[in-house]
Structure formats: C-alpha cells, structure tokens
Amino acid sequence: MTKRTVPGIAGSKRRDGAEPIVMVTAYDAPSARVATEADVDMILVGDSVAMVVLGYDSTLQVTVDDIAYHTAAVMRSDPTAVVVGDLPWMSFHVSPTETVGNAATLVRAGAHCVKLEGGAKRLPMIEAITAAEIPVVAHIGLTPQSTNVMGGFKIQGRQADAAQAMIDDARRLESAGCFAVVIEGVPDVVGRRVTEAIDIPTIGIGAGPDTDGQVLVYHDIIGLENRFKPRFVRRYGRAYEDQVSALTAYASDVRTGAFPGPDEVYSAGDELAEALGLYGSGPAADPAADPAAAPAPTTEPTA
Ligand code: KIV
C-alpha cells in the first residue's frame, strides 16, 4: 500500500483530476489497522473520541494529552495514511506560543499534521504552527467545539452572508498556509462554492458531494455508534448489533458450560492431573463431584 504524504494530499484537487480524498477518524491501533487495510488516505485522530469512545456529550472534555495518547496508539499500527492530530478546545485559543507547543506534542506522538477549528480569528495561531514546520488542516462550518456559541450542533452557512463569510474565511486560511480544509455541516452549495474558491483540497462532512474528499467518524461508518444518525452519515456495517450478539452468545456458552470446549483448553495429560491429585481434567471428573463420571483411580488413595 502506498504511503500518503502531506504534499500528496495538498495537491489532491478533483478539478485537476485527483481522486476524492478518503478520510476517516480512528482512535486506537485496531481501528487504524482496519483503516490501513481499507487503504484510506487520511486518518483523523479527532476530538470526536470524546463522544464516540469516552462517553461525553460534547467534544469539550478532551485534552491535548488525550489526543496524544490516542495518536500514539494509532501510530503503533504503522498506518500508510497521513495522520492528523486534532487540536482540542482551549489548546489553540490562548497564544501562538502555547498553540505551537500543543501542536508539537501531537507531532511528537506521531501525527504528521494537526487540525484546528475556526476561521479567520485563528490565523495568528495557524501562521505560528506552519512557521514551526507543522502542516495544518483547517476546519470550518459546523465546528463542534463552538457548540455553546452555536446553540448546539447546527447546520451553518444557510444565509448568503454567512456562506460568503465562510468562503472568505477559506481563502484566508489557505493564504495563512493551511494545506486542506475540513468543511462540516453546511448546505451542499456552500461546500461546492468553498471548494471552487480555493486551490487547496476541501474535505467535507455533511457538506455535499462536491468537496475534494469526504470524512466520517469511524464508529458511524461501522455502525458501532447507533444512538443517533445524522442525515449525512451512511452506515456501512452493524457493528453494535454484531457485537451484542457475539457477547450474548459468549455469555450463554459460559453459563451453560459450552465454553470452553475441548479444543479451547491446554491439556497436559494424565501424569500432571495425577500429580495434582486429579482424576482426569475438569470438575466433572472429580469423583467427589461425580463419582460415576470419574475414571478408576490408578493408585490407591492414601489415608
Ligand atoms: O473530531 C472529529 O471527528 C472531526 C470530524 C468530524 C471532522 O473533527
């Protein structure tokens, strides 16, 4: 499988003939291994880990250390995708210096680049990070870290002036050095206009079919997150139902004694059983428990 690079992604504009960019979130080694097997282009270690893994009802609870921890786990799977470390809320809001330090923490955990939410007001932070040779993906539209300001997870850019502001933001983010822009939760025409307006690729989530790539949350794709399905999610699996049925079958087998079976035990033979004072292997062979089931003792019991 081909190793993806930041310059390779930066040059992936569909209007120039590139294939759509495939991005998926992943937060641990097994999911990153699956993503690599599926040959995705980009893995986002997103702050969505807060909601789909850690049980919070917003993304505001995770820290730089949390994202670094999950990034390191993803990197241990040796992914071929470009890995994006998501800068969480309050990690890029205070000062450019602090922002660069936080971005560096994610790079040291293995990320090839970082993502941060917000438009023009984040330009000084973006310029500082890119000056430190850390590539940056921007994130505009519905930015979940702004949930309290937006009054919830609300579609953005429905009015012409808000849509135009988003297009202007995208141009400024490109000028500041971002190499790609995630656009979330906007009408399809806004996704299209932003994509047309800039030379770096756009990666949409709920932004219609005309962006240069698509991103979805891993747990939504495989159907492990089954509590709520936003309109833009397509489920490709039934992982929640499959896992409930696997665990239910396991529980039933343990309770009935069907697990473990003869092929799932380590046998050491009669000699060890005898040395341990057993008459065969397993409780049913214990004459005290079931004398009829026990083989005849080979030695006389001692007093
Ligand atoms: O954290 C995340 O999963 C994201 C995607 C929704 C783009 O930011």
Side-chain angles (χ1 to χ4, degrees):
M1 255 165 241
T2 324
K3 272 260 184 217
R4 310 310 201 272
T5 63
V6 167
I9 299 293
S12 294
K13 220 38 205 173
R14 279 171 71 194
R15 67 173 173 230
D16 299 333
E19 281 209 317
I21 298 164
V22 180
M23 185 195 240
V24 63
T25 67
Y27 318 101
D28 56 22
S31 55
R33 210 151 53 84
V34 172
T36 299
E37 188 90 15
D39 201 22
V40 306
D41 301 307
M42 299 179 85
I43 290 176
L44 169 64
V45 186
D47 61 0
S48 50
V49 68
M51 299 174 74
V52 295
V53 174
L54 303 177
Y56 294 115
D57 60 8
S58 81
T59 59
L60 302 180
Q61 308 301 330
V62 289
T63 63
V64 173
D65 286 346
D66 292 328
I67 301 292
Y69 174 88
H70 288 279
T71 300
V74 162
M75 294 316 293
R76 279 179 218 118
S77 75
D78 195 18
T80 48
V82 165
V83 175
V84 187
D86 209 6
L87 283 167
W89 179 61
M90 286 311 291
S91 69
F92 57 94
H93 302 70
V94 178
S95 72
T97 308
E98 199 177 299
T99 302
V100 171
N102 288 329
T105 299
L106 299 189
V107 170
R108 290 210 169 102
H112 303 117
C113 55
V114 298
K115 174 172 85 59
L116 59 79
E117 294 183 6
K121 65 183 163 193
R122 303 295 166 218
L123 295 180
M125 314 303 187
I126 291 166
E127 279 158 6
I129 304 172
T130 52
E133 311 300 342
I134 300 172
V136 181
V137 178
H139 182 163
I140 57 174
L142 193 172
T143 46
Q145 292 171 15
S146 322
T147 179
N148 290 323
V149 176
M150 295 182 312
F153 299 118
K154 301 249 170 75
I155 299 305
Q156 301 294 300
R158 283 196 188 278
Q159 311 300 328
D161 55 348
Q164 188 56 52
M166 217 177 286
I167 294 166
D168 295 343
D169 264 358
R171 288 200 178 106
R172 296 173 74 182
L173 291 163
E174 176 178 26
S175 302
C178 294
F179 79 91
V181 181
V182 167
I183 313 176
E184 177 168 357
V186 299
D188 53 356
V189 286
V190 178
R192 178 173 164 184
R193 280 282 175 246
V194 171
T195 302
E196 286 171 354
I198 55 179
D199 291 331
I200 53 173
T202 56
I203 303 168
I205 172 163
D210 297 317
T211 51
D212 295 302
Q214 298 288 332
V215 51
L216 282 179
V217 167
Y218 187 93
H219 293 59
D220 285 333
I221 298 173
I222 65 167
L224 187 52
E225 177 53 77
N226 71 342
R227 294 167 294 183
F228 170 66
K229 189 182 102 49
R231 183 184 176 85
F232 59 80
V233 166
R234 186 180 296 176
R235 293 216 172 104
Y236 289 88
R238 290 170 47 86
Y240 189 86
E241 289 79 3
D242 289 350
Q243 291 184 31
V244 169
S245 96
L247 291 199
T248 304
Y250 163 68
S252 162
D253 282 357
V254 170
R255 290 183 182 125
T256 61
F259 177 83
D263 293 342
E264 291 144 348
V265 300
Y266 300 104
S267 311
D270 291 344
E271 210 175 301
L272 179 61
E274 267 177 42
L276 295 174
L278 298 171
Y279 300 91
S281 50
D286 180 348
D290 182 4
T298 53
T299 53
E300 206 59 44
T302 57

